[in-house]
Amino acid sequence: MRVLVMSDIHANFPALQAVLADAQGSYDEVWCLGDVVGYGPNPNECADTVRALPALTCLCGNHDLAALGGSEIDDFNSYAKTAALWTSDRLSARTREFLGGLSPRAERAGFTLVHASPRDEVWEYIDSIDVARDNFALFTSPYCLFGHTHRARAYVMDAAGNCIEKLPAHREALPLAGQRMLLNPGSVGQPRDRNPKAAYALLDAKAGTWEARRVAYPIADTQAQMRAAQLPAPLIERLNTGR
Ligand code: ZN
């Protein structure tokens, strides 16, 4: 089983297209860890494309829930709130139906999938070794895949009980064997790990590898659409630097 793992597409259709083109022929299933919409200019294009992918498991994230009218929006900063209201106004009936049917957690053959964390599937940021260590106690499968931080990361629990953080390099294949791991593919549509390229991962469950990947996409195309839509300037600018 070869799986395309992606998260936090955030309505950035040029980035999603670049990822799908780069991964073409390398996967049999797709696991999407949530936040298909929010921030970016193409919520319906992204939702229509994701829902048509083969053998899809898709979670919902905090931005998907906010766009559907959930109370998650109350915890957003002003830029995220503006973008969520803009998104909510534009969701097609088909996109609403798709997002409304998603859950923030799933189990797949030895893998726990969550949008944010096992402890809080919608909100908690696993952004440090301490938070990762706490969360290892809260899932029972060998591996947990998560998104939400927009940072490609791997946390490994070694045999001695130490939690180690790894920053996987592009096309570096981490071996899965023998150690419990928390794995984040990074963000397709709004990376925040100081690398503006779209991030995703290829999981080969049979070979036991997790391969992190980055792919360039036409950032200026997304930004031009965001400007035309009058989305907040800081959300447009951050795409240049991946912060
Ligand atoms: Zn997100």
Side-chain angles (χ1 to χ4, degrees):
M1 180 177 63
R2 299 173 308 162
V3 187
L4 163 60
V5 184
M6 58 181 177
S7 191
D8 297 280
I9 297 164
H10 281 297
N12 186 340
F13 192 49
L16 176 60
Q17 286 178 300
V19 163
L20 294 177
D22 194 63
Q24 195 173 23
S26 306
Y27 61 90
D28 323 297
E29 291 195 21
V30 179
W31 296 351
C32 175
L33 306 178
D35 279 0
V36 174
V37 306
Y39 291 133
N42 314 118
N44 296 313
E45 292 92 330
C46 289
D48 285 343
T49 300
V50 169
R51 67 184 290 171
L53 290 169
L56 173 72
T57 298
C58 187
L59 309 182
C60 59
N62 51 319
H63 285 263
D64 302 317
L65 295 169
L68 290 171
S71 60
E72 288 75 17
I73 198 168
D74 299 340
D75 293 314
F76 281 2
N77 65 41
S78 66
Y79 303 133
K81 196 172 283 186
T82 300
L85 293 171
W86 181 92
T87 302
S88 190
D89 282 348
R90 281 158 187 82
L91 289 189
S92 68
R94 201 167 56 223
T95 300
R96 280 189 179 278
E97 185 197 358
F98 171 59
L99 297 178
L102 305 178
S103 152
R105 185 179 187 124
E107 302 286 337
R108 288 288 175 277
F111 294 85
T112 297
L113 280 53
V114 291
H115 176 62
S117 81
R119 179 161 49 197
D120 179 341
E121 294 127 1
V122 175
W123 272 111
E124 185 179 33
Y125 291 88
I126 302 181
D127 55 3
S128 72
I129 288 174
D130 285 343
V131 176
R133 187 189 295 112
D134 290 351
N135 272 284
F136 270 107
L138 297 162
F139 64 99
T140 53
S141 58
Y143 311 105
C144 176
L145 313 185
F146 69 102
H148 191 50
T149 66
H150 300 203
R151 295 184 175 116
R153 286 288 186 280
Y155 295 94
V156 183
M157 186 66 87
D158 74 10
N162 300 307
C163 185
I164 300 153
E165 183 179 50
K166 293 187 176 180
L167 280 63
H170 174 57
R171 288 190 178 257
E172 178 186 356
L174 287 178
L176 299 182
Q179 294 178 313
R180 297 187 76 216
M181 299 172 89
L182 276 157
L183 296 158
N184 187 329
S187 169
V188 172
Q190 197 203 74
R192 294 179 193 163
D193 47 12
R194 303 184 181 215
N195 179 347
K197 292 180 178 176
Y200 73 100
L202 290 172
L203 166 67
D204 188 327
K206 197 170 168 198
T209 55
W210 171 270
E211 181 187 337
R213 288 210 180 173
R214 303 303 284 237
V215 54
Y217 74 94
I219 293 173
D221 289 2
T222 302
Q223 292 174 314
Q225 293 186 73
M226 291 175 79
R227 260 180 230 110
Q230 297 185 297
L231 285 160
L235 298 180
I236 301 171
E237 286 152 16
R238 70 188 305 176
L239 297 179
N240 286 326
T241 52
R243 295 182 69 163

